[in-house]
Amino acid sequence: MTNPSKPMTQKSEPGVAAVNRALTILMAFENSVEGMSLAELSAATGLYHSTILRLCDSLLHYGFLVRLEDGRFKLGSTPFFLGMLYQESFRLWDHAAPVLRELVRVTKETAAIYIRDGDERVCLHRMTQPRSVLMHVREGERVELHKGAAGKIMLAFAGEPGEEFDQIRKAHYALSLAERRSESIGLACPVFGVQQKLICSISLGMPLFRLNRQVFEAALPLVMQAAADLTRRLGGNPSVFDPPYATYEGPVLPERGEAPLQHPTDSTLE
């Protein structure tokens, strides 16, 4: 992911150059709450002093910046006001819906978004596609965190100790086999927001008998891509989901054509 505080070359710079440079100046304050001098802004953005001063005139006029008596620039009140408007208008569903829809389309399985609530995870949103055998996940359903891939993602990125969680943090995915229900699997990834704060887990569920090594290897990049897309939409850094992916470490998965891990006992798996 491009670091927004670093200037892009003219060749790769999208949109209007002057606007991009003004936004680059604003993003330079991300880790400078005490303000920045003209020289510090120039070093952080790569822009000339004269360019910064011209752009800062506009940013000062609209309240994006203020200038202190000693000449330093600080963020003004306008970014805070816009942030409050964003908070009031933010709906996770608006960002998650197209991502879940695409994941269901390409996998033909059930996709869901989970959030943490204390020691449980809650299914906030889910989508599925009609099949003769499918996973039933109900919105609002609560599950303890230690059962299932989505919960283990939340524990891992909250700092839970242990080799299993170290591996999840390194791999950025978790796979659970028949942990929550005896005939189901879950493949989940974290979704990050601003400053890589964990927002939720995105999970793909399917019946256990449909899983083999080839299915897993095909599904993993699709779930990773979904997590990257939603992370990007929420202001996080999606580059943590770039390949190559960490090697799967867990129970041996059957190859295509081998006996499945477990056969379903009903036409609908709960």
Side-chain angles (χ1 to χ4, degrees):
M1 179 182 179
T2 301
N3 185 342
S5 66
K6 297 295 183 183
M8 293 177 289
T9 64
Q10 189 172 3
K11 181 179 178 180
S12 64
E13 190 176 68
V16 180
V19 175
N20 291 333
R21 289 167 187 155
L23 294 175
T24 299
I25 290 172
L26 290 176
M27 293 305 299
F29 289 90
E30 183 178 2
N31 299 310
S32 300
V33 295
E34 297 302 321
M36 302 181 73
S37 67
L38 182 59
E40 289 169 334
L41 279 173
S42 180
T45 63
L47 300 174
Y48 293 114
H49 289 199
S50 57
T51 301
I52 293 172
L53 287 173
R54 287 198 306 272
L55 293 171
C56 282
D57 280 343
S58 294
L59 295 173
L60 289 164
H61 177 73
Y62 283 96
F64 284 91
L65 293 179
V66 295
R67 195 163 193 181
L68 305 179
E69 290 183 357
D70 62 5
R72 285 179 298 130
F73 294 94
K74 290 186 70 173
L75 288 179
S77 60
T78 299
F80 176 75
F81 173 70
L82 294 177
M84 294 296 293
L85 291 179
Y86 173 78
Q87 276 194 322
E88 291 177 6
S89 65
F90 177 81
R91 300 291 184 273
L92 182 57
W93 175 246
D94 295 337
H95 304 280
V99 176
L100 290 178
R101 190 175 296 114
E102 177 63 12
L103 185 57
V104 169
R105 186 190 70 81
V106 296
T107 64
K108 308 297 190 293
E109 301 291 356
T110 299
I113 296 291
Y114 290 90
I115 59 172
R116 182 171 183 170
D117 186 10
D119 293 328
E120 297 178 312
R121 59 182 167 102
V122 180
C123 179
L124 190 63
H125 303 297
R126 70 104 173 93
M127 284 189 183
T128 192
Q129 191 170 64
R131 296 189 67 166
S132 58
V133 182
L134 51 82
M135 292 293 301
H136 279 293
V137 178
R138 298 177 179 89
E139 292 180 350
E141 185 176 20
R142 291 175 172 268
V143 184
E144 60 184 282
L145 288 176
H146 281 85
K147 287 188 177 180
K152 290 184 176 180
I153 286 289
M154 295 173 183
L155 288 170
F157 287 91
E160 187 78 3
E163 184 177 349
E164 178 183 19
F165 297 105
D166 288 341
Q167 173 62 23
I168 291 172
R169 282 186 285 269
K170 176 183 176 182
H172 283 84
Y173 72 83
L175 178 66
S176 63
L177 306 178
E179 289 186 11
R180 188 163 70 92
R181 295 190 176 105
S182 62
E183 295 173 330
S184 65
I185 74 102
L187 174 59
C189 291
V191 174
F192 302 105
V194 176
Q195 296 184 333
Q196 291 305 92
K197 178 182 178 182
L198 182 70
I199 302 297
C200 59
S201 296
I202 186 167
S203 176
L204 185 72
M206 70 179 70
L208 188 61
F209 79 96
R210 274 208 287 266
L211 181 70
N212 57 42
R213 177 163 292 279
Q214 289 75 24
V215 168
F216 167 76
E217 291 176 350
L220 178 59
L222 298 176
V223 182
M224 285 284 199
Q225 183 60 53
D229 289 347
L230 190 49
T231 291
R232 184 182 298 106
R233 290 169 180 263
L234 298 180
N237 181 356
S239 66
V240 296
F241 301 105
D242 290 346
Y245 304 125
T247 303
Y248 166 68
E249 295 183 9
V252 176
L253 300 178
E255 301 293 331
R256 183 181 289 114
E258 293 181 351
L261 291 170
Q262 187 173 341
H263 291 280
T265 58
D266 196 349
S267 60
T268 302
L269 296 180
E270 295 290 344

